[in-house]
Short mmCIF file of all heavy atoms in Angstrom, two decimals:
data_model
loop_
_atom_site.label_atom_id
_atom_site.label_comp_id
_atom_site.label_asym_id
_atom_site.label_seq_id
_atom_site.Cartn_x
_atom_site.Cartn_y
_atom_site.Cartn_z
N ASP A 228 41.70 -195.03 38.25
CA ASP A 228 42.51 -194.14 37.47
C ASP A 228 42.16 -192.64 37.86
O ASP A 228 40.96 -192.40 38.17
CB ASP A 228 42.27 -194.34 36.03
CG ASP A 228 42.90 -195.60 35.40
OD1 ASP A 228 43.73 -196.22 36.19
OD2 ASP A 228 42.62 -195.97 34.31
N VAL A 229 43.23 -191.81 37.83
CA VAL A 229 42.99 -190.43 38.30
C VAL A 229 43.11 -189.56 36.93
O VAL A 229 44.02 -189.62 36.22
CB VAL A 229 44.16 -189.92 39.22
CG1 VAL A 229 43.95 -188.54 39.61
CG2 VAL A 229 44.22 -190.91 40.45
N PHE A 230 41.93 -188.84 36.70
CA PHE A 230 41.91 -187.98 35.55
C PHE A 230 42.08 -186.51 36.00
O PHE A 230 41.44 -185.98 36.90
CB PHE A 230 40.53 -188.12 34.89
CG PHE A 230 40.33 -189.34 34.11
CD1 PHE A 230 40.12 -190.57 34.75
CD2 PHE A 230 40.44 -189.36 32.72
CE1 PHE A 230 39.96 -191.76 34.08
CE2 PHE A 230 40.31 -190.50 32.04
CZ PHE A 230 40.02 -191.72 32.73
N VAL A 231 43.12 -185.88 35.46
CA VAL A 231 43.55 -184.48 35.88
C VAL A 231 43.22 -183.52 34.66
O VAL A 231 43.66 -183.76 33.56
CB VAL A 231 45.01 -184.48 36.18
CG1 VAL A 231 45.42 -182.98 36.47
CG2 VAL A 231 45.24 -185.33 37.34
N LEU A 232 42.36 -182.52 34.90
CA LEU A 232 42.05 -181.47 34.02
C LEU A 232 43.07 -180.37 34.11
O LEU A 232 43.07 -179.67 35.09
CB LEU A 232 40.69 -181.05 34.13
CG LEU A 232 40.24 -179.87 33.26
CD1 LEU A 232 40.28 -180.27 31.79
CD2 LEU A 232 38.83 -179.31 33.64
N ASP A 233 43.92 -180.22 33.08
CA ASP A 233 44.92 -179.17 33.08
C ASP A 233 44.33 -178.00 32.35
O ASP A 233 44.36 -177.95 31.13
CB ASP A 233 46.21 -179.63 32.44
CG ASP A 233 47.31 -178.66 32.37
OD1 ASP A 233 47.06 -177.45 32.67
OD2 ASP A 233 48.40 -179.01 31.89
N ARG A 234 43.81 -177.04 33.07
CA ARG A 234 43.11 -175.94 32.52
C ARG A 234 44.05 -174.94 31.77
O ARG A 234 43.65 -174.19 30.86
CB ARG A 234 42.34 -175.15 33.57
CG ARG A 234 41.26 -176.04 34.26
CD ARG A 234 40.61 -175.29 35.44
NE ARG A 234 39.86 -174.09 35.00
CZ ARG A 234 39.38 -173.26 35.87
NH1 ARG A 234 39.40 -173.42 37.22
NH2 ARG A 234 38.78 -172.16 35.41
N GLU A 235 45.32 -174.98 32.10
CA GLU A 235 46.32 -174.14 31.40
C GLU A 235 46.53 -174.60 29.96
O GLU A 235 46.74 -173.71 29.11
CB GLU A 235 47.62 -174.15 32.19
CG GLU A 235 47.49 -173.62 33.63
CD GLU A 235 46.89 -172.26 33.81
OE1 GLU A 235 47.29 -171.39 33.00
OE2 GLU A 235 46.09 -172.06 34.74
N LYS A 236 46.55 -175.89 29.81
CA LYS A 236 46.90 -176.37 28.43
C LYS A 236 45.67 -177.10 27.75
O LYS A 236 45.85 -177.79 26.78
CB LYS A 236 48.08 -177.39 28.53
CG LYS A 236 49.37 -176.75 28.96
CD LYS A 236 50.61 -177.70 28.80
CE LYS A 236 51.90 -177.02 29.11
NZ LYS A 236 53.01 -177.89 28.98
N ASP A 237 44.51 -176.90 28.35
CA ASP A 237 43.30 -177.48 27.72
C ASP A 237 43.43 -178.97 27.43
O ASP A 237 43.19 -179.39 26.32
CB ASP A 237 42.91 -176.68 26.41
CG ASP A 237 42.54 -175.29 26.64
OD1 ASP A 237 42.36 -174.92 27.81
OD2 ASP A 237 42.51 -174.48 25.70
N ARG A 238 43.71 -179.70 28.50
CA ARG A 238 43.99 -181.15 28.27
C ARG A 238 43.53 -181.97 29.47
O ARG A 238 43.49 -181.37 30.56
CB ARG A 238 45.43 -181.44 27.90
CG ARG A 238 46.36 -181.01 29.02
CD ARG A 238 47.86 -181.28 28.67
NE ARG A 238 48.71 -180.94 29.78
CZ ARG A 238 49.96 -181.37 29.95
NH1 ARG A 238 50.53 -182.19 29.07
NH2 ARG A 238 50.70 -181.02 30.97
N VAL A 239 43.36 -183.19 29.28
CA VAL A 239 43.09 -184.18 30.28
C VAL A 239 44.17 -185.18 30.41
O VAL A 239 44.56 -185.76 29.28
CB VAL A 239 41.74 -184.92 30.18
CG1 VAL A 239 41.51 -186.00 31.16
CG2 VAL A 239 40.60 -183.93 30.15
N LEU A 240 44.80 -185.36 31.57
CA LEU A 240 45.86 -186.38 31.75
C LEU A 240 45.31 -187.52 32.51
O LEU A 240 44.53 -187.31 33.52
CB LEU A 240 46.99 -185.70 32.55
CG LEU A 240 47.70 -184.45 31.93
CD1 LEU A 240 48.66 -183.81 32.85
CD2 LEU A 240 48.31 -184.82 30.56
N ARG A 241 45.68 -188.71 32.16
CA ARG A 241 45.17 -189.93 32.85
C ARG A 241 46.27 -190.67 33.47
O ARG A 241 47.21 -191.03 32.80
CB ARG A 241 44.38 -190.79 31.84
CG ARG A 241 43.75 -192.05 32.41
CD ARG A 241 43.10 -192.86 31.40
NE ARG A 241 42.46 -194.09 31.92
CZ ARG A 241 41.89 -194.96 31.18
NH1 ARG A 241 41.78 -194.77 29.86
NH2 ARG A 241 41.29 -196.04 31.71
N TYR A 242 46.16 -190.83 34.77
CA TYR A 242 47.22 -191.53 35.54
C TYR A 242 46.61 -192.79 36.19
O TYR A 242 45.37 -192.81 36.49
CB TYR A 242 47.77 -190.72 36.68
CG TYR A 242 48.40 -189.36 36.18
CD1 TYR A 242 47.73 -188.22 36.07
CD2 TYR A 242 49.79 -189.43 35.99
CE1 TYR A 242 48.33 -187.01 35.65
CE2 TYR A 242 50.43 -188.15 35.60
CZ TYR A 242 49.66 -187.02 35.41
OH TYR A 242 50.30 -185.83 35.03
N ASP A 243 47.47 -193.73 36.51
CA ASP A 243 46.96 -194.85 37.34
C ASP A 243 47.18 -194.37 38.85
O ASP A 243 47.60 -193.25 39.05
CB ASP A 243 47.73 -196.13 37.09
CG ASP A 243 49.24 -196.09 37.43
OD1 ASP A 243 49.66 -195.22 38.16
OD2 ASP A 243 49.94 -197.00 36.92
N ALA A 244 46.77 -195.22 39.80
CA ALA A 244 46.82 -194.83 41.16
C ALA A 244 48.18 -194.52 41.76
O ALA A 244 48.32 -193.82 42.78
CB ALA A 244 46.11 -195.89 42.02
N LYS A 245 49.26 -194.99 41.07
CA LYS A 245 50.58 -194.70 41.47
C LYS A 245 51.26 -193.49 40.77
O LYS A 245 52.41 -193.23 41.01
CB LYS A 245 51.40 -195.93 41.33
CG LYS A 245 51.03 -197.15 42.12
CD LYS A 245 51.91 -198.36 41.95
CE LYS A 245 51.52 -199.49 42.81
NZ LYS A 245 52.36 -200.73 42.65
N GLY A 246 50.50 -192.90 39.94
CA GLY A 246 50.93 -191.66 39.30
C GLY A 246 51.64 -191.97 37.98
O GLY A 246 52.29 -191.03 37.41
N ASN A 247 51.51 -193.10 37.40
CA ASN A 247 52.08 -193.38 36.08
C ASN A 247 51.14 -192.84 34.97
O ASN A 247 49.90 -193.17 34.89
CB ASN A 247 52.23 -194.90 35.86
CG ASN A 247 53.23 -195.54 36.81
OD1 ASN A 247 54.33 -195.00 36.96
ND2 ASN A 247 52.79 -196.51 37.53
N LEU A 248 51.67 -191.98 34.12
CA LEU A 248 50.93 -191.34 33.03
C LEU A 248 50.77 -192.29 31.83
O LEU A 248 51.75 -192.81 31.40
CB LEU A 248 51.56 -190.09 32.59
CG LEU A 248 50.89 -189.36 31.43
CD1 LEU A 248 49.62 -188.75 31.77
CD2 LEU A 248 51.89 -188.23 30.91
N TYR A 249 49.49 -192.56 31.40
CA TYR A 249 49.38 -193.35 30.23
C TYR A 249 48.25 -192.89 29.33
O TYR A 249 47.86 -193.64 28.38
CB TYR A 249 49.15 -194.87 30.64
CG TYR A 249 47.85 -195.20 31.34
CD1 TYR A 249 46.77 -195.64 30.62
CD2 TYR A 249 47.70 -195.02 32.68
CE1 TYR A 249 45.57 -195.97 31.25
CE2 TYR A 249 46.53 -195.35 33.37
CZ TYR A 249 45.45 -195.82 32.66
OH TYR A 249 44.26 -196.15 33.27
N GLY A 250 47.86 -191.71 29.39
CA GLY A 250 46.87 -191.15 28.50
C GLY A 250 46.78 -189.64 28.59
O GLY A 250 46.96 -189.09 29.69
N ALA A 251 46.53 -188.98 27.53
CA ALA A 251 46.30 -187.53 27.49
C ALA A 251 45.48 -187.15 26.27
O ALA A 251 45.60 -187.77 25.17
CB ALA A 251 47.60 -186.78 27.45
N ARG A 252 44.71 -186.07 26.37
CA ARG A 252 43.89 -185.65 25.29
C ARG A 252 43.51 -184.16 25.46
O ARG A 252 43.24 -183.74 26.55
CB ARG A 252 42.61 -186.46 25.27
CG ARG A 252 41.84 -186.23 23.95
CD ARG A 252 40.28 -186.31 24.12
NE ARG A 252 39.66 -186.45 22.85
CZ ARG A 252 39.48 -185.33 22.01
NH1 ARG A 252 39.98 -184.16 22.40
NH2 ARG A 252 38.92 -185.43 20.88
N LEU A 253 43.63 -183.50 24.36
CA LEU A 253 43.07 -182.02 24.40
C LEU A 253 41.66 -182.02 24.61
O LEU A 253 40.89 -182.88 24.06
CB LEU A 253 43.52 -181.33 23.10
CG LEU A 253 44.99 -181.08 22.87
CD1 LEU A 253 45.20 -180.36 21.53
CD2 LEU A 253 45.62 -180.31 23.98
N THR A 254 41.17 -181.07 25.31
CA THR A 254 39.72 -180.89 25.54
C THR A 254 39.04 -180.13 24.31
O THR A 254 37.78 -180.16 24.29
CB THR A 254 39.39 -180.14 26.84
OG1 THR A 254 39.94 -178.80 26.78
CG2 THR A 254 39.99 -180.91 27.98
N ARG A 255 39.78 -179.46 23.53
CA ARG A 255 39.15 -178.85 22.37
C ARG A 255 38.75 -179.75 21.31
O ARG A 255 39.43 -180.78 21.01
CB ARG A 255 40.22 -177.80 21.75
CG ARG A 255 40.32 -176.50 22.64
CD ARG A 255 41.16 -175.52 21.91
NE ARG A 255 41.22 -174.31 22.62
CZ ARG A 255 40.37 -173.26 22.43
NH1 ARG A 255 39.39 -173.39 21.54
NH2 ARG A 255 40.40 -172.14 23.16
N VAL A 256 37.52 -179.56 20.74
CA VAL A 256 37.03 -180.41 19.73
C VAL A 256 36.48 -179.58 18.57
O VAL A 256 36.41 -178.32 18.65
CB VAL A 256 35.85 -181.28 20.27
CG1 VAL A 256 36.44 -182.20 21.40
CG2 VAL A 256 34.69 -180.42 20.73
N THR A 257 36.18 -180.28 17.52
CA THR A 257 35.61 -179.52 16.32
C THR A 257 34.32 -178.82 16.68
O THR A 257 33.45 -179.31 17.37
CB THR A 257 35.34 -180.58 15.18
OG1 THR A 257 36.48 -181.36 14.86
CG2 THR A 257 34.73 -179.92 14.01
N GLY A 258 34.36 -177.54 16.22
CA GLY A 258 33.22 -176.75 16.51
C GLY A 258 33.25 -175.82 17.80
O GLY A 258 32.42 -174.98 17.97
N ASP A 259 34.38 -175.91 18.51
CA ASP A 259 34.60 -175.07 19.59
C ASP A 259 34.79 -173.66 19.21
O ASP A 259 35.38 -173.31 18.12
CB ASP A 259 35.86 -175.51 20.40
CG ASP A 259 35.61 -176.61 21.36
OD1 ASP A 259 34.42 -177.05 21.41
OD2 ASP A 259 36.57 -177.08 22.01
N GLY A 260 34.41 -172.75 20.05
CA GLY A 260 34.46 -171.26 19.81
C GLY A 260 35.90 -170.83 20.15
O GLY A 260 36.67 -171.61 20.85
N PRO A 261 36.25 -169.58 19.84
CA PRO A 261 37.55 -169.07 20.20
C PRO A 261 37.89 -168.93 21.71
O PRO A 261 39.00 -168.84 22.07
CB PRO A 261 37.63 -167.70 19.50
CG PRO A 261 36.13 -167.32 19.44
CD PRO A 261 35.43 -168.61 19.21
N HIS A 262 36.77 -168.92 22.48
CA HIS A 262 36.94 -168.71 23.96
C HIS A 262 36.69 -169.95 24.71
O HIS A 262 36.50 -169.90 26.01
CB HIS A 262 36.05 -167.63 24.39
CG HIS A 262 36.24 -166.31 23.69
ND1 HIS A 262 37.41 -165.55 23.77
CD2 HIS A 262 35.42 -165.59 22.84
CE1 HIS A 262 37.25 -164.48 22.94
NE2 HIS A 262 36.06 -164.47 22.46
N ALA A 263 36.72 -171.14 24.09
CA ALA A 263 36.54 -172.32 24.79
C ALA A 263 37.54 -172.49 25.97
O ALA A 263 38.73 -172.23 25.80
CB ALA A 263 36.66 -173.60 23.82
N SER A 264 37.02 -172.85 27.14
CA SER A 264 37.88 -172.89 28.34
C SER A 264 37.38 -173.93 29.25
O SER A 264 36.26 -173.82 29.87
CB SER A 264 37.86 -171.52 29.00
OG SER A 264 38.61 -171.50 30.20
N PRO A 265 38.08 -175.07 29.48
CA PRO A 265 37.58 -176.06 30.41
C PRO A 265 37.67 -175.62 31.89
O PRO A 265 38.50 -174.84 32.29
CB PRO A 265 38.60 -177.21 30.22
CG PRO A 265 39.89 -176.56 29.76
CD PRO A 265 39.37 -175.36 28.88
N GLU A 266 36.65 -176.03 32.62
CA GLU A 266 36.59 -175.60 34.03
C GLU A 266 36.53 -176.72 35.00
O GLU A 266 37.05 -176.56 36.16
CB GLU A 266 35.25 -174.75 34.25
CG GLU A 266 35.30 -173.43 33.46
CD GLU A 266 34.17 -172.55 33.82
OE1 GLU A 266 33.06 -173.04 34.19
OE2 GLU A 266 34.31 -171.27 33.79
N ASP A 267 35.92 -177.81 34.71
CA ASP A 267 35.83 -178.90 35.71
C ASP A 267 35.68 -180.25 35.01
O ASP A 267 35.39 -180.33 33.77
CB ASP A 267 34.60 -178.72 36.62
CG ASP A 267 34.71 -179.55 37.92
OD1 ASP A 267 35.76 -180.09 38.25
OD2 ASP A 267 33.65 -179.71 38.53
N ILE A 268 35.89 -181.31 35.74
CA ILE A 268 35.91 -182.67 35.21
C ILE A 268 35.22 -183.62 36.17
O ILE A 268 35.34 -183.45 37.40
CB ILE A 268 37.33 -183.16 34.91
CG1 ILE A 268 37.34 -184.45 34.06
CG2 ILE A 268 38.23 -183.29 36.10
CD1 ILE A 268 38.69 -184.85 33.63
N ALA A 269 34.47 -184.60 35.65
CA ALA A 269 33.93 -185.66 36.42
C ALA A 269 33.91 -186.97 35.65
O ALA A 269 33.80 -186.93 34.34
CB ALA A 269 32.52 -185.31 36.91
N VAL A 270 34.05 -188.11 36.30
CA VAL A 270 33.99 -189.41 35.59
C VAL A 270 32.81 -190.09 36.11
O VAL A 270 32.54 -190.23 37.35
CB VAL A 270 35.32 -190.22 35.98
CG1 VAL A 270 35.29 -191.52 35.18
CG2 VAL A 270 36.58 -189.38 35.57
N GLY A 271 32.01 -190.64 35.19
CA GLY A 271 30.77 -191.32 35.49
C GLY A 271 30.98 -192.78 35.85
O GLY A 271 32.04 -193.35 35.71
N PRO A 272 29.96 -193.44 36.30
CA PRO A 272 30.11 -194.78 36.71
C PRO A 272 30.44 -195.76 35.59
O PRO A 272 30.97 -196.89 35.78
CB PRO A 272 28.70 -195.17 37.28
CG PRO A 272 27.79 -194.14 36.72
CD PRO A 272 28.60 -192.90 36.61
N ASP A 273 30.18 -195.43 34.36
CA ASP A 273 30.52 -196.23 33.24
C ASP A 273 31.92 -195.78 32.60
O ASP A 273 32.32 -196.33 31.53
CB ASP A 273 29.51 -196.11 32.07
CG ASP A 273 29.33 -194.66 31.49
OD1 ASP A 273 30.02 -193.77 32.03
OD2 ASP A 273 28.55 -194.47 30.58
N GLY A 274 32.61 -194.89 33.27
CA GLY A 274 33.87 -194.44 32.74
C GLY A 274 33.86 -193.28 31.88
O GLY A 274 34.89 -192.74 31.49
N SER A 275 32.65 -192.78 31.53
CA SER A 275 32.56 -191.55 30.68
C SER A 275 33.13 -190.34 31.38
O SER A 275 33.01 -190.22 32.65
CB SER A 275 31.11 -191.25 30.39
OG SER A 275 30.48 -192.30 29.51
N VAL A 276 33.85 -189.55 30.60
CA VAL A 276 34.56 -188.34 31.25
C VAL A 276 33.70 -187.08 30.74
O VAL A 276 33.58 -186.88 29.53
CB VAL A 276 35.97 -188.30 30.79
CG1 VAL A 276 36.67 -187.02 31.37
CG2 VAL A 276 36.71 -189.53 31.26
N PHE A 277 33.35 -186.27 31.71
CA PHE A 277 32.55 -185.01 31.41
C PHE A 277 33.49 -183.86 31.79
O PHE A 277 34.05 -183.79 32.83
CB PHE A 277 31.31 -185.02 32.24
CG PHE A 277 30.33 -186.05 31.90
CD1 PHE A 277 30.44 -187.35 32.49
CD2 PHE A 277 29.27 -185.87 30.98
CE1 PHE A 277 29.49 -188.31 32.18
CE2 PHE A 277 28.33 -186.89 30.64
CZ PHE A 277 28.48 -188.09 31.30
#
Side-chain angles (χ1 to χ4, degrees):
D228 286 350
V229 181
F230 286 76
V231 176
L232 175 64
D233 179 355
R234 297 174 62 185
E235 304 300 321
K236 294 189 176 183
D237 294 348
R238 61 178 182 163
V239 175
L240 303 171
R241 183 181 182 182
Y242 298 89
D243 66 19
K245 295 182 179 179
N247 298 307
L248 174 68
Y249 67 97
R252 194 213 189 284
L253 293 181
T254 60
R255 285 186 172 270
V256 299
T257 301
D259 277 1
H262 304 297
S264 177
E266 290 187 333
D267 197 18
I268 188 170
V270 184
D273 64 353
S275 295
V276 179
F277 296 84

